[in-house]
Amino acid sequence: MVKKIIISRFNNIAAILQNNKIQEIIPINKTYQVNDIYIGIVQKIFSSINAAFIKISNHGKSGFIHISDIKHLKKNRYINHINDILAINQILLVQIIKEPTINKGPRLTTNINLSGKYTVLMPFCNTICISHKIYDHNERIHLHSLAILLKPSMMGILIRSSAEGKTTKAIIDDLNCLKKQWYSIEKMALCSPCPNLIYKEKDLVQKIIRDYYNSNTNNIIIDSENGLQQIKYYIKKWNCKKNTRIQIYKKPECILEQFGIIKNISKALKSKVKLSSGGHLIIESNEALTVIDVNSGSFNKSDNSKEAILRTNFYAAIEIAYQLKMRNINGVIIVDFIDMLSQQDQLQLLEHFTKLLQLDYAKPQIVQLSELGLVELTRRRRRQSLQELFNNENNIYLTIPQHHKYNQNEIKTNISKYLLHKNIKSLFFSKKFRKKIVINYQNKNCKYNLFSKDFIYLNKNNIVHLLNPKRNYIIPFIIYSNALNKN
């Protein structure tokens, strides 16, 4: 399949496309994120559940840690009570392994992992692991032997599947970078106040090339010249495939709008999903449970009702597997397929659904088909779902005109709706405007080509701050003021 990666550096969001269909949305936000490393303080201990709350920020939610995630702190293997390991106000170096939900804080571990392109360094785990996705026996022996030679003293190392077929030099360089990164984290942890953020993955380009770029990637499109140079740097650094087409997006329209990413995000926030067969899905997500109901709708292509039901369920299974990945739905999921009396039809559906779920990186597991005909499955949670990221009180829907050429007396009336999130760098103000506020501005030598310098001359009472404005995304302040005055 043709794999394409779209990266918007300005909005700090990327999308993975296969055959021009969005498979996954990857955001970078300023709040708690998987792999972030904090130095925290033990706030509360709950001995009844062998868990504790760790304060890792002065403003955000406290993190949750279970005794199973603090193995290396045990004095011996027979300690089974958290009170024998942790104490109130004890300082811990922790890493986020699950992002927070609306009502819960992040899940933490003391088993720190640093991920590279080809290796994972485990400072507190003295083991060697080879990815199960490497099937060639000779290659596994080669990589295991190499890992024995490279493994730092008293540390663990995991060889990722992307290391298969790569040169020894590329793997060594990758591991050396992780060791330098860990030594830097150690120094910061010793001199930082508590609680405090020690390490955070802020570079979207680095994350995309490391975790999502592979030999199947045919095209990468980015809206930043600096980002383009970063892509070339990481591809050269990690000795990746070099025949991938890398393009810079120069059109005046937002790259997310051009490739339909904003439109797909808006669709993914709706509960109703239409099927190509004529039926539809109803997806209702809560914090602990997601329910998906399959409805036949207007599907009537077959005179045989039994065959029609089976076909509709097959179409629904394809769409459900896609929606789970696209929306990043996590936790317990219950699917109510259309009732089928034949056990043979039920078996065919389950086999078909299982094959589709095997393509999901989060490894969904079908638990059972209940007596009521409900398919129960679980999907591993790491990142927040699209609903948690966009469909909450942090979102701002702003209606503004969209175009790239303006003058003082003429404003076009093309209206588009942008979905903005406070954790994603986008078109935001740090100042809150009151209703019908008038912004005094000065336009300096306004011509056809406009830059940020033409819009920053404001009076002292109305100071507006833009976050890293880029040339193709500058929108004059008068547009914002008019949009805000109408609200």
Side-chain angles (χ1 to χ4, degrees), residues 39 187-194 196-198:
I39 183 166
K187 292 177 182 178
M188 290 185 63
L190 291 174
C191 61
S192 296
C194 300
N196 194 31
L197 174 65
I198 301 297

Side-chain angles (χ1 to χ4, degrees), residues 322-341:
Y322 170 72
Q323 291 294 331
L324 292 180
K325 192 174 181 181
M326 167 68 182
R327 300 180 183 223
N328 196 26
I329 298 174
N330 309 294
V332 179
I333 302 161
I334 295 179
V335 182
D336 184 11
F337 287 104
I338 302 173
D339 293 338
M340 296 179 295
L341 299 178

